[in-house]
């Protein structure tokens, strides 16, 4: 492993975050094109400690979301991927080069995840990527530098499976999935792309069968793929077709409602687009969020 992220928790540890953040850090280094073995130290703490560090080292008496302290003095004009000599000066006895220290406020990350409507894991991954690129010399004080840094962040987050996905990108993924449609009976190709709360996307197509009841819609193909890999929180789905706007059928609406009654449903056909919340497509839905677990399976 060429990238190591040493994580210290000064607050209660969140299960499953360590692997995500380590993967994000590794993809940042890969995106920068650094071939040497490197490591960084990440401390996850609370409002008060990050405020104290911010006050002591930056003269700013307030809590923030993330702080980074590079071990080198690289700049946006010549980032660490182009400064091998500086990097090698930070090599320790293990053969790894030290990039610097990162501090993240867990309470602030939780607040921002709620504000932006995505998962805590997605927010923590973003803050880690943002800080990693600071360690490698990137900055966002000037507009051009900001654009470069944002592009690198999105590239790394995409490789780590935590990218922000636009509606148009989601539609394009659904269109790509549509090409694999198995629809010899209806000749109506459908593709779907389901966006998870943590930024991952699962795609699917409609798969027909000579026994029509065994046919599976694109929406459920994407949904079942996601759930089978442990994903149960979703924010949007794009559904595409070639002949007309493919609003989900009743079974698909019910299947989606099981996990995400507040899902945004985007449909597209050619240049035509439309959108509706799942609650409008399935009013008075029947599922866990509507209380079914309170009485189903109970005597």
């Amino acid at each position: 492993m060429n990238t190591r992220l040493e994580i210290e928790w000064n607050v209660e540890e969140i299960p499953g975050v360590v692997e995500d953040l380590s993967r994000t850090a590794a993809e940042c280094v890969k995106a920068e094109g650094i071939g040497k073995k490197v490591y960084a130290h990440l401390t996850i703490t609370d409002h008060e400690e990050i405020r104290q560090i911010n006050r002591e080292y930056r003269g700013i008496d307030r809590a923030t979301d993330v702080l980074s302290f590079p071990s080198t003095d690289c700049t946006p004009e010549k980032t660490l991927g182009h400064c091998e000599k500086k990097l090698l000066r930070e090599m320790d006895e293990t053969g790894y080069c030290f990039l610097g220290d990162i501090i993240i406020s867990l309470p602030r990350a939780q607040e921002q995840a709620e504000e932006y409507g995505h998962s805590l894991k997605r927010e923590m991954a973003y803050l880690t990527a943002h800080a990693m690129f600071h360690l490698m010399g990137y900055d966002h004080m000037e507009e051009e530098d900001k654009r470069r840094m944002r592009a690198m962040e999105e590239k790394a987050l995409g490789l780590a499976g935590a990218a922000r996905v636009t509606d148009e990108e989601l539609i394009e993924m659904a269109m790509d999935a549509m090409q694999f449609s198995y629809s010899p009976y209806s000749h109506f190709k459908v593709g779907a792309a389901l966006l998870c709360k943590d930024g991952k996307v699962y795609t699917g197509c409609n798969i027909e069968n000579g026994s029509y009841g065994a046919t599976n819609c694109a929406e459920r193909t994407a949904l079942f793929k996601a759930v089978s890999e442990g994903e149960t929180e979703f924010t949007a789905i794009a559904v595409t077709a070639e002949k007309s706007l493919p609003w989900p059928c009743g079974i698909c609406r019910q299947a989606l409602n099981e996990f995400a009654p507040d899902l945004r449903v985007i449909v597209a056909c050619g240049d035509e687009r439309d959108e509706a919340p799942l609650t409008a497509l399935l009013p008075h839905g029947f599922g866990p969020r509507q209380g079914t677990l309170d009485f189903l399976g109970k005597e």
Side-chain angles (χ1 to χ4, degrees):
M1 183 173 66
N2 286 339
T3 302
R4 192 172 77 237
L5 187 64
E6 299 175 348
I7 302 179
E8 175 183 344
W9 293 85
N10 290 348
V11 289
E12 186 176 352
E13 185 172 341
I14 305 297
V17 168
V18 171
E19 294 79 5
D20 290 344
L21 301 191
S22 296
R23 182 168 60 251
T24 297
E27 295 299 351
C28 290
V29 173
K30 187 186 298 184
E32 177 65 4
I34 294 175
K36 303 296 182 183
K37 293 181 178 180
V38 299
Y39 74 100
H41 187 268
L42 167 61
T43 301
I44 301 175
T45 189
D46 56 21
H47 276 323
E48 189 50 44
E49 183 174 5
I50 205 167
R51 177 180 181 180
Q52 182 179 339
I53 296 170
N54 208 18
R55 180 173 60 241
E56 181 178 349
Y57 289 95
R58 300 177 67 222
I60 300 174
D61 189 16
R62 62 177 174 82
T64 187
D65 53 0
V66 61
L67 294 170
S68 53
F69 299 94
S71 62
T72 66
D73 59 353
C74 293
T75 66
E77 289 73 33
K78 196 172 184 182
T79 55
L80 197 54
H82 306 282
C83 300
E84 186 172 313
K85 289 183 179 179
K86 290 183 178 181
L87 180 62
L88 291 175
R89 287 201 291 267
E90 303 301 326
M91 184 180 290
D92 64 16
E93 63 278 3
T94 69
Y96 279 77
C97 304
F98 183 52
L99 297 181
D101 290 286
I102 299 169
I103 300 98
I104 291 177
S105 167
L106 179 60
R108 183 58 62 86
Q110 291 169 327
E111 291 168 3
Q112 292 176 175
E114 182 69 25
E115 178 183 350
Y116 300 139
H118 54 229
S119 69
L120 176 60
K121 287 184 179 182
R122 167 64 177 80
E123 182 64 19
M124 294 282 283
Y126 169 73
L127 294 176
T128 300
H130 184 77
M132 284 293 295
F133 283 110
H134 271 312
L135 296 186
M136 294 186 286
Y138 290 82
D139 209 341
H140 45 78
M141 298 302 292
E142 302 296 332
E143 192 59 37
E144 180 58 31
D145 294 339
K146 181 178 179 179
R147 281 195 293 269
R148 289 183 61 228
M149 185 174 183
R150 291 289 180 266
M152 292 296 284
E153 289 169 353
E154 292 301 328
K155 179 180 179 180
L157 288 168
L159 292 171
R164 285 174 287 190
V165 180
T166 66
D167 288 355
E168 200 57 39
E169 288 171 336
L170 202 62
I171 290 170
E172 289 179 6
M173 293 181 195
M175 287 182 172
D176 288 341
M178 182 174 66
Q179 304 311 312
F180 296 103
S181 168
Y182 177 75
S183 46
Y185 305 102
S186 70
H187 303 291
F188 191 88
K189 293 184 177 182
V190 182
L194 181 62
L195 178 62
C196 303
K197 195 173 182 180
D198 65 6
K200 295 177 185 174
V201 176
Y202 289 84
T203 61
C205 61
N206 57 327
I207 304 170
E208 296 181 348
N209 193 278
S211 175
Y212 283 11
T215 292
N216 205 55
C217 297
E219 299 94 317
R220 280 178 285 143
T221 301
L223 176 65
F224 296 161
K225 285 168 65 177
V227 174
S228 71
E229 295 189 19
E231 299 289 346
T232 57
E233 294 185 291
F234 312 106
T235 59
I237 188 169
V239 190
T240 61
E242 297 175 323
K243 299 179 180 179
S244 67
L245 290 177
W247 290 106
C249 72
I251 294 176
C252 286
R253 297 180 194 197
Q254 179 62 42
L256 293 167
N257 179 76
E258 180 76 12
F259 300 95
D262 298 320
L263 192 72
R264 292 173 54 235
V265 180
I266 306 160
V267 291
C269 177
D271 295 329
E272 190 177 0
R273 306 278 189 274
D274 204 349
E275 177 183 333
L278 184 58
T279 49
L281 301 178
L282 189 68
H284 312 295
F286 183 79
R289 300 281 186 88
Q290 293 88 20
T292 56
L293 294 180
D294 295 338
F295 55 84
L296 287 182
K298 299 181 182 295
E299 294 184 359

